[in-house]
Amino acid sequence: MQISVFSAAGLHPPGRRSFLTKAACALALVVLADVLFFGQGVGWTAGLFSLAWVLAVVIARPGVLAGRPSVAALAAAGLLALTLIDDPGTLAFLLVWAALALAVLLPRAGAFDDAWAWSCRLAVHPFSGLLRLAGDAVVWTRAWRRVPVGLRRLVPLLALPVAGTGLFLALFASANPVIRDRLASLDPGALLRGITPVRVGFWALTGAVVWGVLRPGHLLRLAAAPPAEQRPPSAIPGVSIASVTLSLIAFNALFALQNTLDVAYLWSGAPLPGNLTLATYAHRGAYPLIATALLAAVFVLAALRPGSPLAANRLLRRLVYLWIGQNVVLVGFSIERTLNYVDAFSLTALRLAALIWMGLVAVGLVLICWRIWRRRSTAWLINANAVAVLAVLVGCIVVDLGNVVASYNVRHNREVAGTGAALDLCYLHRLGSSALLPLIELERENLSPETKAEVTALRATIMRRLTLDQADWHRWTFRNARRLDAAIAAVGEQGEVAGCDPCL
C-alpha cells in the first residue's frame, strides 16, 4: 500500500489547505525575506514582507476568515503592516506577529477570554511553534522515505534529454563564439559561495518564525489558567475587614502628607530645605512614586477581589475610592516632577516614555476604581487595561516620537527661549532623520554665528544621509520621503555646507 506524505504526517488531504501549501508559503516568505533583508537596510520592505505574511496566512489557513475575532486580528495585522511601509520599527513588527498569531489561534480556542490568558498563550506560542517545526521535520522525513521509488524512474526519464541538450549545447558553443563566450563567463560556484553559515541561519530563523504562524503547535491549553471568576476567592492570611480598614486609614493619611508636600513645593513655590534644587526634588521622586502607585493597585486588587466579603463592605469601598483618588493625584505630581526635570535638562525619548507610562498608570487606577464601583469582572479589568496599552502602543507607532522630542527641545532651550536647558545638538544628532525638520526650524532662529554654523552643519549631515537612504529602495520609507520633500522645499537641494558637524 502506498503511503503519501499527507497520510503519513496525519495532515489534511490535498483537497484542503495541505501541508505542502503551508510549506510552499513558508518557502516563498523565506525567499522574499532573503531578497528584501539579507545584507540590506530595512525600510518600506518591512511592510511589504508583513503584507505578504498576511496573504500567506489567508492562503495557508483559510479558517481565519470564518470568525469575526480572527478576521479582526487579521485586519489589525494588515493595518499595522501599512504602518511599517510608512516607517519601519521593531514594535510595529512585533505587533504584526502578535496579530497574526491571534488570527490563527483564535479559531482553535473558540473564544477570546481575557488579555492576560492570551498574553500567556502568545508567550508560549514561539516555543510551541519550534516544537511543531521539529516534529514536522521528523514526520516529513519519514513520510518521504515511504514514497514509492521515484528517483529510479526519474533518472532514465531525464537521462536522454539532459545528455542530448548538453551535447548540442557543446556543438553550438564550438560553432558560435557568442554562446562560447557566454558559457565561459558563467561561474557555477558563485551561487554556492553566496550560501554562508550566516545566510543559512537567517533562512532558518525566518522559516521558524513564519512556520510557527502558518502551522502553530498544540500548547494552547497549557498556556492559560482558568479565569479568575471560575476560582472561588480564597482567604489571604492576615487580611480581614478590620486589618484592611486600619491599613486604608493609615495609607490615606500617609498619602495625604506626601501630596500636601508636593503641593507646597511644586505648586506654591515654597523654598526647599538645604541645597536641594527643584530639579533634584522632581527627579528623585518621580519613579519611586509610580512604584508606590503600582503597589497600591496590587494591594487593592488582592484585598478587594470580586465576591469577597471585603469587596462587599461599604466603608472599605469608600476608603478605597479615596485612596485611589490620592494615588491618581500622586501620579499627577509624578508627571509634574518629570516635566520640571525636563524643563531643567531637556526632553529625551526615555523621559517621554516615562510620561506616557505614568499616564497609563493613572488610567489603570481609574479603571480599578470603576471596576469596584460597577462590580466588573477581573476579565473586564484586564481587557480594559489591555485596550489602553494597545492604543498607546499603536499611537507610539503612528506618531514620530523622535520628532516630538526634537521639536520640543528646539523650541524650549536657552539659545531660543532664553530659559531652560542648553541646546544639546549631539542628542539631536542621535535622533537622526526625526530631527531634520526641527533643525531647519532652529536654523531660522536668531542664533549666535557659531551655534548657527553648527546647526547648519548638523542639518546638512542628517539631510545628506537621509538622501542616501532614500536612494536605496530597500531603505526607502514614506515617512522619510515626506520629510525629505519638506526639507528640500525649505532649504533646497542638499549641497556642500561650510562648517563641521559638532557631533562627529
Side-chain angles (χ1 to χ4, degrees), residues 313-344:
N313 187 283
R314 180 177 298 180
L315 175 61
L316 282 182
R317 290 202 306 270
R318 290 178 178 177
L319 288 173
V320 165
Y321 295 151
L322 176 61
W323 193 35
I324 291 179
Q326 292 212 70
N327 274 279
V328 173
V329 172
L330 196 71
V331 173
F333 280 127
S334 297
I335 294 175
E336 178 73 15
R337 287 166 176 261
T338 305
L339 291 176
N340 288 337
Y341 192 74
V342 167
D343 289 339

Side-chain angles (χ1 to χ4, degrees), residues 187-455:
D187 185 5
L191 181 61
L192 295 178
R193 287 196 296 270
I195 302 177
T196 62
V198 175
R199 196 167 199 167
V200 172
F202 175 80
W203 293 344
L205 178 61
T206 305
V209 172
V210 301
W211 188 254
V213 172
L214 297 178
R215 191 167 158 78
H218 296 291
L219 297 182
L220 192 62
R221 295 180 180 177
L222 301 179
E229 284 70 23
Q230 296 180 8
R231 302 189 302 268
S234 57
I236 301 176
V239 176
S240 63
I241 293 179
S243 65
V244 172
T245 301
L246 292 175
S247 298
L248 288 174
I249 293 173
F251 295 166
N252 273 298
L254 189 59
F255 274 59
L257 174 62
Q258 172 61 43
N259 288 329
T260 301
L261 291 175
D262 279 343
V263 169
Y265 293 130
L266 295 178
W267 286 0
S268 69
L272 291 164
N275 296 325
L276 188 65
T277 63
L278 183 61
T280 304
Y281 178 81
H283 185 252
R284 285 183 181 178
Y287 302 113
L289 291 182
I290 288 296
T292 302
L294 290 174
L295 287 175
V298 172
F299 174 82
V300 172
L301 291 175
L304 278 80
R305 290 167 296 169
S308 64
L310 282 75
N313 187 283
R314 180 177 298 180
L315 175 61
L316 282 182
R317 290 202 306 270
R318 290 178 178 177
L319 288 173
V320 165
Y321 295 151
L322 176 61
W323 193 35
I324 291 179
Q326 292 212 70
N327 274 279
V328 173
V329 172
L330 196 71
V331 173
F333 280 127
S334 297
I335 294 175
E336 178 73 15
R337 287 166 176 261
T338 305
L339 291 176
N340 288 337
Y341 192 74
V342 167
D343 289 339
F345 297 101
S346 76
L347 182 64
T348 65
L350 184 60
R351 290 164 193 162
L352 179 59
L355 289 170
I356 295 172
W357 166 246
M358 292 173 189
L360 274 176
V361 172
V363 170
L365 291 169
V366 172
L367 289 174
I368 291 174
C369 191
W370 183 267
R371 174 216 185 185
I372 297 173
W373 181 38
R374 303 296 295 180
R375 291 179 172 83
R376 299 287 186 177
S377 65
T378 301
W380 177 90
L381 179 63
I382 293 173
N383 291 337
N385 279 278
V387 169
V389 171
L390 283 176
V392 169
L393 291 179
V394 173
C396 292
I397 291 171
V398 175
V399 177
D400 186 355
L401 298 184
N403 181 265
V404 172
V405 172
S407 298
Y408 181 90
N409 289 339
V410 161
R411 295 168 186 170
H412 301 83
N413 63 79
R414 196 175 305 156
E415 286 77 2
V416 174
T419 59
L423 181 63
D424 190 349
L425 291 178
C426 290
Y427 185 74
L428 294 177
H429 180 269
R430 289 198 296 271
L431 292 175
S433 61
S434 295
L436 177 58
L437 297 181
L439 281 171
I440 293 175
E441 178 185 347
L442 179 62
E443 205 173 353
R444 296 171 178 172
E445 297 290 342
N446 186 21
L447 304 173
S448 66
E450 180 182 355
T451 302
K452 187 177 182 64
E454 292 179 346
V455 171

